[in-house]
Amino acid sequence: MKYIQTDNLTIIDYGDGGAKLQIYNKTKSSYGWSPRNLIVSLFGKPLKEITYNYVQQEVDKVYSTFNYDEIHKLINKINETN
């Protein structure tokens, strides 16, 4: 099992071709660490089906504004690990 992460997004790669998307809200703390609060953990699906468009649709359901560069970073990390 591998965790592929950006600031607010995580893909859990189960290693059997399946994966799961988790969307977080990362906040800055005055104490020097940044906690991540889980917003939604979606049902698993084949890793091949986790595309930019899929992630964008799911992010748009929970965020009114979101930096889509983070989705690009996540997809690039997925492609690098596979």
Side-chain angles (χ1 to χ4, degrees):
M1 188 178 318
K2 290 187 241 176
Y3 289 82
I4 304 167
Q5 299 180 336
T6 62
D7 287 341
N8 296 296
L9 303 171
T10 296
I11 293 289
I12 301 173
D13 181 355
Y14 294 116
D16 63 356
K20 178 179 189 175
L21 173 64
Q22 295 181 325
I23 303 172
Y24 290 86
N25 180 21
K26 183 176 179 182
T27 56
K28 293 191 179 201
S29 170
S30 59
Y31 299 107
W33 61 287
S34 300
R36 296 173 78 207
N37 298 313
L38 181 64
I39 296 173
V40 66
S41 182
L42 299 160
F43 289 112
K45 62 188 312 173
L47 186 59
K48 293 179 198 175
E49 294 180 19
I50 297 180
T51 62
Y52 180 88
N53 289 334
Y54 168 74
V55 176
Q56 182 182 6
Q57 287 174 357
E58 297 300 330
V59 165
D60 286 346
K61 290 178 185 178
V62 295
Y63 277 102
S64 59
T65 59
F66 191 82
N67 183 359
Y68 292 134
D69 290 339
E70 189 169 339
I71 298 174
H72 284 291
K73 289 178 188 176
L74 181 69
I75 297 300
N76 287 337
K77 286 182 176 185
I78 292 170
N79 292 336
E80 288 173 5
T81 59
N82 292 331

